[in-house]
Amino acid sequence: MMDGYDLPEGEAIFRRLVGLMGLAVVVTMVGWFVITSANDKRLEYNAFLDKALYEYGVLINYIYTSKFSRDDRASEFRVAIDDAVPEAFARHIRVVYEFLAKVSGRSVGFDVVSDNVFDQSDHYVYVGREPVSANPHSQQNPFVEKLGPSLERLFPNKSHDLFWKYQNASLGQFDGTPLFFNSEFASIDYDAVINGNRKYRPENTDIEKTAVYINIPQMEGASPAEMEKFIKYVTTQEIYQEYNLAADMFDHRFRLQTILYDYDDELGDLVGAERMRQRNKNVSLGLCPYDVMLTYHLYRGEHGNSPEALDMVAFIDLYAKAYWYYLTYPSELFDSKCW
């Protein structure tokens, strides 16, 4: 409108229509972008689901299979925490399990144990700080000392000796690893499986007992705060794998998309604190949206322990739930790099 001059009514209507059309184009473009982005995320999550649960399977005590049952629908479960675990890490163990139980629609109780670790619980967690021996055959691993007798009380078998000798020698290679057991564990011919490099397909596919082993000695040049952060990261990762029977990820698409991503092969000759710091830059040190979604999907989805790919509506619903948990639960569980 100029001084003392009004646009003809037709021209004013035309300009309003043009403005509305322009707004509609903008809204349409924004909507198209949002839908396209959401669909890309949906396809990425479905690929993540396949890799975590189905593509690799899970290496369970020399038994490589994706057929183990994750269908544990008990409304409550119990976790035994080794009495030697420092309180800061024992508290973190409780925080992680309480969160996973909440997402799964379950409750969890805890016991502190020194021996007979499965008397009251089906899950056992050990966090140690022992230096790794140059000759692992020369000393007994404290974790094996406690786990071995407890399992042999449940599943007695004279052939276990080879299995525990192998564990005693090999666990020092890992910062952490989950282990899984059932009644068939007692009847496996470990001499044939280990020394014969044979694959073994179990008939019993129900997981009855699980253990999480974590041992991270002090690293030269690392501060106490760095060590605590790293131990909590490994603890979260291994508990997550144990709880969901989920496999490590070696796909670069998921480098900062999941706590399951494994960066170890890319660290080369780095050792100690420098190795830890380089890994910290390239991995998610806490749970990411897909990790939370997968847990909910496994325990509350209509397909139970064999979840199927999500359609758009289901994906958006799960994605929104993941963010709700992120905003309402302790920040130590998550890594802001992936949210």
Side-chain angles (χ1 to χ4, degrees), residues 3-204:
D3 292 342
Y5 177 75
D6 292 326
L7 289 172
E9 183 177 354
E11 186 175 348
I13 292 173
F14 175 76
R15 290 192 176 189
R16 283 198 293 272
L17 287 173
V18 170
L20 289 171
M21 289 174 64
L23 179 61
V25 169
V26 171
V27 170
T28 300
M29 291 178 66
V30 170
W32 176 85
F33 176 77
V34 170
I35 292 172
T36 300
S37 297
N39 192 53
D40 288 344
K41 279 287 192 184
R42 180 182 71 87
L43 294 174
E44 186 178 66
Y45 171 78
N46 287 335
F48 163 78
L49 171 74
D50 184 63
K51 284 187 176 293
L53 300 186
Y54 303 123
E55 181 173 332
Y56 299 121
V58 180
L59 182 62
I60 301 180
N61 314 334
Y62 314 107
I63 306 166
Y64 192 71
T65 179
S66 59
K67 301 300 184 183
F68 273 92
S69 173
R70 304 176 182 88
D71 194 17
D72 183 356
R73 292 295 184 272
S75 61
E76 181 180 19
F77 65 98
R78 298 197 69 81
V79 176
I81 302 173
D82 194 273
D83 65 347
V85 175
E87 178 52 35
F89 304 125
R91 188 192 69 82
H92 186 71
I93 290 166
R94 291 190 288 269
V95 169
V96 175
Y97 273 113
E98 285 168 355
F99 177 75
L100 293 173
K102 179 67 175 179
V103 174
S104 304
R106 309 167 74 194
S107 59
V108 57
F110 298 94
D111 301 294
V112 177
V113 297
S114 59
D115 54 17
N116 300 330
V117 300
F118 292 123
D119 274 8
Q120 302 295 326
S121 305
D122 296 326
H123 307 250
Y124 167 58
V125 185
Y126 172 91
V127 179
R129 304 295 310 278
E130 295 84 13
V132 177
S133 172
N135 180 11
H137 297 280
S138 66
Q139 64 183 50
Q140 179 80 336
N141 186 299
F143 170 75
V144 170
E145 282 186 324
K146 294 188 177 184
L147 182 64
S150 298
L151 281 169
E152 289 173 18
R153 287 177 65 230
L154 295 169
F155 311 129
N157 188 325
K158 295 179 181 179
S159 68
H160 281 169
D161 186 54
L162 177 64
F163 175 81
W164 295 118
K165 284 181 178 178
Y166 189 87
Q167 291 294 347
N168 199 62
S170 63
L171 283 172
Q173 303 172 42
F174 305 103
D175 293 328
T177 187
L179 297 170
F180 305 83
F181 304 94
N182 63 25
S183 56
E184 194 165 343
F185 168 76
S187 61
I188 295 172
D189 182 351
Y190 283 103
D191 184 57
V193 174
I194 298 172
N195 293 331
N197 194 28
R198 288 169 43 190
K199 289 187 177 179
Y200 179 91
R201 289 288 179 179
E203 294 181 10
N204 178 2

